[in-house]
Amino acid sequence: MTRTRDDLLAKLRTMTHTPVLIVGGGINGMGTFRDLALQGVPSLLVERGDFCSGASRAPSRMIHGGIKYLENGEFRLVKESAHERNRLLSNAAHYVHPLEMVLPIHSWTAGIIPAIKRFFKMPAKVTQRGAAVIKAGLTVYDIYGANDRVMPRHRMISRGDALHEIPDLDPKIVAAASYYDAWITSPERLTVELALDGMDACDGSVALNHLSFDGVEDGKAVLRDALSGEVFRIGCDIMVNAAGAWIDGVNDAAGGAKKMIGGNKGSHLLLDLPVLAERLHGRMVYFEVAEGRLCLISNFMGHVLLGSTDIPVTDPDSVVCDDEETDYLLGALRTVFPEVKATRDDIFFSYAGVRPLPASDATDPGKVSRDHSMPEVAPTADRPFPVIALVGGKWTTFRAFAAEATDAVLGKLGKSRKTHTDYLPIGGGRGLSRKAAPTEELISEVAAMGATHARAARLVACYGSRAKDIAATFDGPETFLATLPQVSREELAFIVNHEVAATAEDVLFGRSALFLEGPQPRGALTELVQTLATICGWDTVRIAKEEAALVERYRRHHRIVFADNGQPEFA
């Protein structure tokens, strides 16, 4: 069955009412959409951009228990996060994988007094964490991660062994620590798979991108198609505001102005440093910089991912990794790898997002809680339905947050939960596990459908068990793109016809990780658009518009411009 955006718009035109309207297609909104669908409750999810286009698309790609939250005394959050991390390793085994974290340590005893003060809720600032504090924290972390444990416990590493394992580390360290969290290869695709799961589970559920919530008229939500301008008016019993950093704006449009969000910007750089990436051996180095701020360096698809900042912002629409942050991050890299000569010339991509944190008067961004809450805006005469806002949260705990939101909605609708999502695989995670055998068997099955073994392995890495669905649509050998040989015309046709992708941006940034796999030349954008044009039937005007939009996105959001020779450069 095809599932194009046009198909879903046609379905929307027949709707006048939905039990639940969800505004926001990031991970919290989409998790709630899927959970409600599994309970048999139809909902309409609308996202003004593409799915997973805000903060959900700009994480450090970590799925973690949040060891640093222990310092703030958020023990419940750490316990929940560690448990949810373990569940995602099972439920999304195609995208979420174990990740060894290495903590360089420059002192044996630093931070003991501030840590004790914080434990007893006394004001204190941690500027350096010594081996004793880190050991204590990791011991607690292991205890909290005991449920459904699938990874080793932490270990302390001597200075000599640490420098042997990662030779480029700062030789001034006294020791290091190792523990395991997880990382996610494609948060964009996992969000899309939640949407597809939800629509498969409940026929009345619809998730639509490029559809904005413009307010309430005559008791109905006004929705506008950003691509065509078409307007829809839909009634609902409950509205869920899952707009992330834009929650306050959505509340204002719904006639319930209330300050709920105080977001912090987090920026990241991707650097073409293949030797350093190789020496990281798939590990992430989690390290301190000035004033105790924690940054990270990891090998991501053969390149170096460097992040992140934590800066309060008021305008989530204008965030970009600015010059000051770029210098800060490159300087941070030099503190832990002093001999690595990384410069702006090594940057091939940057991105920034706004963490949707609760409004707070805290002067230290790190002290703002990463926990979640669900404040409610009561109905009014003009808006006869309540609005439940999903404030805070993070990638790791989205399932638990979505379950809480779903239970709250079910209670208001007078319904009860039919099924739980704790151990329910997501999308292409079905049939897979942390064991190698199911994945190897799946690769063999896809190869038997006509793909080479290498191609089958890539399809499985990109789509999990859904790789079989894709391979089943191939009618003969695939036609691979010249500038993007990792992808074929047939694969792109499947994305357009089955994954609600309406634009070239949706395909490149929301249905693949091609933009992170390495520097993409200008010609690759042209060929991608031309290929999509043959699939979608775009005319020359639409082709020019789509290509211009890709170039502008690279420039505006990622600070990448294209030189006369077509090669990308960090501006």
Side-chain angles (χ1 to χ4, degrees):
M1 180 185 74
T2 63
R3 186 176 278 125
T4 66
R5 186 170 183 274
D6 287 342
D7 293 336
L8 296 178
L9 282 172
K11 192 171 184 178
L12 180 61
R13 293 186 186 104
T14 69
M15 297 172 60
T16 58
H17 184 274
T18 181
V20 184
L21 171 66
I22 302 173
V23 179
I27 188 58
N28 289 333
M30 203 62 82
T32 304
F33 173 79
R34 177 196 187 230
D35 202 340
L36 283 168
L38 290 166
Q39 313 315 317
V41 177
S43 62
L44 169 63
L45 180 144
V46 299
E47 163 58 50
R48 69 172 187 169
D50 189 24
F51 305 138
C52 193
S53 58
S56 296
R57 192 180 287 182
S60 297
R61 308 256 156 180
M62 290 176 65
I63 299 296
H64 64 110
I67 185 173
K68 65 181 180 180
Y69 307 146
L70 289 172
E71 292 180 344
N72 296 338
E74 296 185 274
F75 301 110
R76 188 209 64 79
L77 176 60
V78 175
K79 183 177 182 179
E80 178 183 69
S81 299
H83 197 184
E84 290 299 317
R85 174 203 64 196
N86 292 349
R87 286 170 169 163
L88 271 173
L89 282 162
S90 175
N91 294 338
H94 55 324
Y95 295 143
V96 180
H97 309 283
L99 175 66
E100 184 181 6
M101 311 285 290
V102 175
L103 297 170
I105 303 172
H106 287 81
S107 167
W108 294 107
T109 59
I112 293 177
I113 300 301
I116 293 173
K117 287 183 176 181
R118 280 196 170 191
F119 183 83
F120 288 104
K121 306 296 183 182
M122 299 169 64
K125 186 172 182 63
V126 178
T127 58
Q128 188 178 17
R129 301 161 183 87
V133 170
I134 290 173
K135 173 68 176 177
L138 290 176
T139 299
V140 175
Y141 201 54
D142 282 342
I143 294 171
Y144 280 161
N147 287 337
D148 303 315
R149 182 186 299 280
V150 293
M151 297 180 295
R153 293 175 173 81
H154 82 275
R155 64 188 175 100
M156 302 302 290
I157 310 172
S158 70
R159 175 183 179 276
D161 287 345
L163 295 177
H164 175 74
E165 292 184 26
I166 308 178
D168 296 293
L169 271 179
D170 181 7
K172 295 178 182 178
I173 63 172
V174 300
S178 166
Y179 70 99
Y180 278 80
D181 263 328
W183 69 298
I184 181 168
T185 55
S186 187
E188 304 86 0
R189 288 208 51 80
L190 192 63
T191 305
V192 170
E193 290 187 1
L194 287 167
L196 301 177
D197 281 357
M199 288 186 279
D200 286 341
C202 182
D203 185 60
S205 293
V206 174
L208 264 164
N209 47 4
H210 306 293
L211 195 65
S212 65
F213 169 76
D214 281 5
V216 179
E217 291 181 4
D218 299 325
K220 293 188 174 183
V222 179
L223 311 174
R224 186 180 303 275
D225 186 343
L227 301 183
S228 69
E230 184 176 1
V231 175
F232 304 85
R233 288 174 173 81
I234 305 292
C236 67
D237 298 320
I238 299 171
M239 176 172 148
V240 175
N241 182 355
W246 295 267
I247 278 178
D248 289 344
V250 170
N251 280 342
D252 188 44
K258 183 180 180 181
K259 180 68 173 175
M260 295 182 181
I261 290 293
N264 288 1
K265 178 174 68 165
S267 293
H268 297 77
L269 300 174
L270 273 159
L271 301 103
D272 193 14
L273 298 170
V275 175
L276 177 58
E278 193 278 331
R279 288 185 179 177
L280 288 171
H281 296 295
R283 289 173 288 204
M284 177 177 283
V285 177
Y286 199 36
F287 63 99
E288 293 178 326
V289 290
E291 299 302 311
R293 167 112 187 97
L294 291 167
C295 288
L296 58 90
I297 297 173
S298 67
N299 177 335
F300 189 82
M301 297 188 176
H303 301 282
V304 171
L305 175 63
L306 172 64
S308 73
T309 55
D310 199 8
I311 302 171
V313 294
T314 57
D315 181 11
D317 287 310
S318 63
V319 296
V320 68
C321 182
D322 60 32
D323 285 338
E324 185 176 352
E325 290 176 289
T326 300
D327 292 340
Y328 169 84
L329 290 171
L330 290 175
L333 186 150
R334 287 189 285 271
T335 66
V336 70
F337 293 114
E339 299 302 317
V340 176
K341 306 302 181 184
T343 70
R344 287 176 177 241
D345 292 339
D346 299 307
I347 301 170
F348 71 86
F349 197 77
S350 71
Y351 62 88
V354 179
R355 304 174 182 93
L357 304 179
S360 171
D361 295 328
T363 56
D364 180 359
K367 290 184 178 179
V368 181
S369 175
R370 265 55 174 177
D371 211 341
H372 51 256
S373 61
M374 294 183 295
E376 182 177 333
V377 181
T380 65
D382 296 326
R383 175 180 39 79
F385 49 87
V387 179
I388 299 175
L390 306 188
V391 175
K394 61 196 189 84
W395 248 103
T396 308
T397 56
F398 84 83
R399 188 214 61 83
F401 194 8
E404 290 180 31
T406 296
D407 288 341
V409 170
L410 291 173
K412 288 186 173 296
L413 295 175
K415 297 180 179 295
S416 58
R417 176 174 286 276
K418 295 180 179 179
T419 186
H420 293 273
T421 59
D422 304 56
Y423 301 102
L424 186 65
I426 300 168
R430 293 185 182 89
L432 300 181
S433 70
R434 294 261 55 87
K435 296 180 179 179
T439 300
E440 292 291 356
E441 182 179 350
L442 178 59
I443 291 173
S444 297
E445 291 178 12
V446 174
M449 299 172 75
T452 66
H453 189 274
R455 176 59 175 161
R458 178 175 174 87
L459 288 173
V460 169
C462 291
Y463 304 99
S465 58
R466 295 184 73 242
K468 289 195 296 184
D469 299 332
I470 297 173
T473 67
F474 298 164
D475 185 14
E478 293 178 81
T479 307
F480 293 96
L481 277 62
T483 54
L484 292 169
Q486 312 96 314
V487 68
S488 70
R489 181 194 183 283
E490 292 75 17
E491 182 182 352
L492 293 174
F494 181 89
I495 289 172
V496 169
N497 292 325
H498 297 270
E499 297 189 344
V500 204
T503 70
E505 282 190 68
D506 294 350
V507 172
L508 182 59
F509 293 98
R511 308 296 181 277
S512 77
L514 291 170
F515 64 101
L516 294 176
E517 290 187 25
Q520 299 300 340
R522 179 71 170 77
L525 307 188
T526 300
E527 186 180 14
L528 175 66
V529 171
Q530 292 285 353
T531 305
L532 290 171
T534 64
I535 297 168
C536 303
W538 293 340
D539 60 19
T540 54
V541 174
R542 178 68 183 272
I543 290 172
K545 181 180 178 181
E546 290 287 336
E547 191 168 348
L550 284 180
V551 172
E552 175 61 12
R553 180 187 177 91
Y554 267 97
R555 183 196 68 80
R556 182 179 179 186
H557 295 287
H558 309 296
R559 297 190 61 182
I560 298 298
V561 297
F562 295 93
D564 292 340
N565 63 0
Q567 293 305 307
E569 296 179 350
F570 184 72

